[in-house]
Amino acid sequence: MEAKIKAFMDEVKSRNGHEPEFIQAVQEVAETVIPYIAKHKIYNGKNILLRMVEPERLLSFRVAWVDDNGEIHVNRGYRIQMNSAIGPYKGGLRFHPTVNASVLKFLAFEQVFKNSLTTLPMGGGKGGSDFDPKGKSDDEVMRFCHAFMLELNRHIGPNTDVPAGDIGVGAREIGFLFGMYKKIRNEFTGVLTGKGRSWGGSLIRPEATGYGTVYFADSMLKTKGESFKGKKVVISGSGNVAQYAAEKVLQLGGKVSTLSDSGGYIHDNDGIDAEKLAFVMDLKNNRRGRISEYADKYDSATYHAGKTPWEVACDIALPCATQNELGGDDAKTLIKNGCICVAEGANMPSTPEAIHEFHEARILFAPGKASNAGGVATSGLEMSQNSLRISWSREEVDQRLKDIMEDIHNSCVEFGKDADGYCNYVKGANIAGFVKVADAMLAQGVI
Ligand SMILES: NC(=O)C1=CN([C@@H]2O[C@H](COP(=O)(O)OP(=O)(O)OC[C@H]3O[C@@H](n4cnc5c(N)ncnc54)[C@H](O)[C@@H]3O)[C@@H](O)[C@H]2O)C=CC1
Ligand SMILES: O=C(O)CCC(=O)C(=O)O
């Protein structure tokens, strides 16, 4: 088996050798899915995984825009249309200076499995730009978004490819992108999700990724007779996913100790309660400030520049910032300090070394493609509401989100149980996600 996996990875590396994040994501899938393929005759000899690692289409384009001083800037825009076997391409747009083809290909690849797990008919894609919204005025962000959509519009559509938000792309950016799409195409359709409430957005979409991550972690905890009640929770990030993960943890009776951004983390000994979280939401979503300002405002908190929060003792860790933010040594520290559960709100935040440590210690560990799937699942619900031209209540969407997260948990358990009863959620998510897409690809022939 080792030889089969190595031969496969050698071929992937020969084509994508300069793309470390993409190779990391593929390696994890190969290690779990290739043994499964070997045991299931229908997938033998069809090179399905090899087809799945090659994007159906990879678009790269120039985005030229003018800043407030009249200077012209050039950024690179991308859309990776990875796999459309089970539905239109679906996945977010990331605006961040670290964006490149490798990062977006890993995200698009993971999205294929994640979207498959949601039970909804969505293929996988991802896109974005190396544009950095930090420090830009609203007008500059608007001009960039409009320039980006001037090109992207011809490649997307409600039945073709439906982008949404990710790092650096929130409600403000989705508004600017949607406005330009509508103007160019002269149509009002569900071409983007994460839209504003009054123009086609779904209730609960802003909350969905964070809430879903906590619902998933709660399902994992239940298998051990545990819950969030009274648990100390360490969260990284302070953006969309982190904020709503924190909100749900508080609602379930947990104590949130930390939040972070790319500058460092804050540790609040008294816990971040609802009022303090409202301060963070205003700081990050409206004033677009730094998390260090939290420690200036609250005496109960300390700021740790240049550090990640994994050194803080906790029962549960929710990495909700970015890829590879939690390494092998961080994992060892978490385990040593008594952490019993890690659920990823971000995409691929744990390195392979960290995942190895979690598995060795037999603690609960959920990979992002399972635990953060609530965001894209609720985007799928937004698409359904747009097609039906109706709007579901908050309670209805939240119940559907809960049901979907429970279904994903059950699928992971079905495919992920080891002989000793330990659930390897990485294996479970990869195989469950693979089966649905592979079956569709088999049915559709070699295309
Ligand atoms: N927004 C969504 O619906 C979904 C997001 N995700 C993933 O969740 C993660 C966070 O995304 P959002 O909250 O939407 O983005 P956001 O832009 O709202 O927030 C990003 C957060 O990450 C922090 N961050 C960025 N780079 C960092 C670094 N190098 N070190 C430490 N912190 C850093 C930022 O300060 C911010 O707090 C990403 O991995 C994203 O791909 C996953 C599923 C859906
Ligand atoms: O809602 C969506 O379509 C995108 C969500 C996303 O980008 C993700 O799941 O990583």
Side-chain angles (χ1 to χ4, degrees):
M1 193 49 58
E2 305 263 291
K4 261 195 183 156
I5 296 168
K6 183 175 180 309
F8 174 80
M9 286 310 300
D10 283 348
E11 185 156 358
V12 172
K13 284 176 191 165
S14 73
R15 273 206 201 109
N16 308 282
H18 53 295
E19 296 181 339
E21 293 87 358
F22 179 58
I23 287 169
Q24 181 182 333
V26 174
Q27 176 86 39
E28 180 207 279
V29 168
E31 283 171 5
T32 45
V33 167
I34 290 178
Y36 181 83
I37 292 175
K39 283 196 214 131
H40 294 79
K41 250 196 177 149
I42 52 162
Y43 305 123
N44 289 178
K46 306 285 185 192
N47 266 347
I48 294 181
L49 201 53
L50 200 59
R51 286 192 263 157
M52 285 177 73
V53 297
E54 195 58 29
E56 290 179 10
R57 201 168 295 105
L58 190 155
L59 304 156
S60 161
F61 50 93
R62 178 176 71 213
V63 187
W65 59 281
V66 183
D67 72 16
D68 288 346
N69 300 317
E71 254 184 66
I72 296 169
H73 298 265
V74 176
N75 285 98
R76 187 168 291 175
Y78 301 89
R79 187 73 183 163
I80 319 283
Q81 298 181 330
M82 200 74 197
N83 194 300
S84 61
I86 62 169
Y89 309 106
K90 181 85 195 86
L93 296 171
R94 177 177 291 192
F95 292 169
H96 195 268
T98 56
V99 161
N100 56 39
S102 172
V103 168
L104 293 181
K105 276 172 68 180
F106 112 67
L107 289 163
F109 183 65
E110 296 244 305
Q111 199 80 46
V112 173
F113 292 79
K114 185 192 304 191
N115 293 4
S116 166
L117 285 169
T118 64
T119 70
L120 303 174
M122 298 182 290
K126 199 86 185 192
S129 172
D130 56 3
F131 172 75
D132 187 359
K134 215 183 277 168
K136 305 287 190 304
S137 70
D138 285 350
D139 282 349
E140 288 174 328
V141 171
M142 178 185 73
R143 285 195 291 275
F144 176 81
C145 288
H146 284 175
F148 185 85
M149 188 52 87
L150 268 176
E151 173 60 33
L152 187 68
N153 87 87
R154 71 189 86 226
H155 308 292
I156 62 175
N159 296 312
T160 310
D161 184 352
V162 183
D166 189 76
I167 292 180
V169 178
R172 173 182 63 168
E173 290 75 18
I174 294 293
F176 296 147
L177 292 162
F178 184 77
M180 184 50 94
Y181 182 89
K182 184 164 63 64
K183 185 165 179 66
I184 302 170
R185 303 287 285 258
N186 194 26
E187 57 182 40
F188 196 112
T189 55
V191 67
L192 291 155
T193 58
K195 298 186 291 298
R197 184 68 199 114
S198 61
W199 41 280
S202 174
L203 285 165
I204 299 285
R205 176 62 189 91
E207 294 90 339
T209 309
Y211 278 18
T213 301
V214 176
Y215 291 150
F216 194 94
D218 201 37
S219 294
M220 292 201 294
L221 289 166
K222 275 193 192 126
T223 66
K224 304 278 177 210
E226 293 280 4
S227 75
F228 271 93
K229 205 157 182 54
K231 296 286 188 308
K232 191 169 168 189
V233 183
V234 158
I235 300 180
S236 66
S238 48
N240 172 266
V241 181
Q243 291 170 16
Y244 287 105
E247 184 168 281
K248 186 51 73 180
V249 168
L250 294 182
Q251 288 171 9
L252 297 186
K255 176 179 168 185
V256 178
S257 299
T258 67
L259 287 171
S260 71
D261 62 19
S262 54
Y265 78 90
I266 56 103
H267 178 198
D268 191 331
N269 247 329
D270 294 350
I272 300 166
D273 60 17
E275 194 191 316
K276 291 169 175 175
L277 186 57
F279 168 82
V280 173
M281 289 184 177
D282 180 52
L283 173 73
K284 285 291 174 182
N285 307 345
N286 303 322
R287 293 190 283 126
R288 299 183 193 276
R290 307 301 295 163
I291 200 67
S292 56
E293 292 172 48
Y294 182 102
D296 299 336
K297 176 150 173 84
Y298 298 107
D299 291 342
S300 51
T302 47
Y303 177 62
H304 305 263
K307 293 196 157 183
T308 51
W310 317 124
E311 59 193 16
V312 175
C314 66
D315 302 302
I316 297 164
L318 305 176
C320 295
T322 193
Q323 65 269 9
N324 292 327
E325 55 162 320
L326 195 166
D329 288 341
D330 299 320
K332 282 184 191 154
T333 306
L334 282 168
I335 294 161
K336 184 173 69 106
N337 287 338
C339 178
I340 57 166
C341 174
V342 179
E344 295 185 336
N347 285 308
M348 209 169 76
S350 310
T351 64
E353 295 75 25
I355 296 172
H356 177 75
E357 295 297 334
F358 296 141
H359 284 163
E360 281 288 295
R362 294 308 215 213
I363 70 164
L364 298 166
F365 171 72
K369 60 169 81 77
S371 46
N372 73 34
V376 74
T378 308
S379 278
L381 301 178
E382 183 169 324
M383 289 165 73
S384 303
Q385 292 169 82
N386 290 166
S387 299
L388 293 166
R389 300 204 187 286
I390 58 167
S391 175
W392 293 326
S393 69
R394 212 180 146 77
E395 290 70 30
E396 179 154 11
V397 181
D398 196 28
Q399 190 55 52
R400 284 176 192 262
L401 170 63
K402 273 186 199 152
D403 292 345
I404 288 170
M405 297 317 294
E406 187 63 37
D407 277 350
I408 298 175
H409 182 265
N410 292 341
S411 299
C412 290
V413 172
E414 182 187 340
F415 289 98
K417 271 262 165 83
D418 282 347
D420 65 357
Y422 174 70
C423 184
N424 180 332
Y425 287 86
V426 174
K427 182 170 89 179
N430 288 342
I431 297 174
F434 168 81
V435 165
K436 187 171 160 192
V437 176
D439 288 350
M441 288 175 73
L442 279 182
Q444 292 165 24
V446 181
I447 44 172

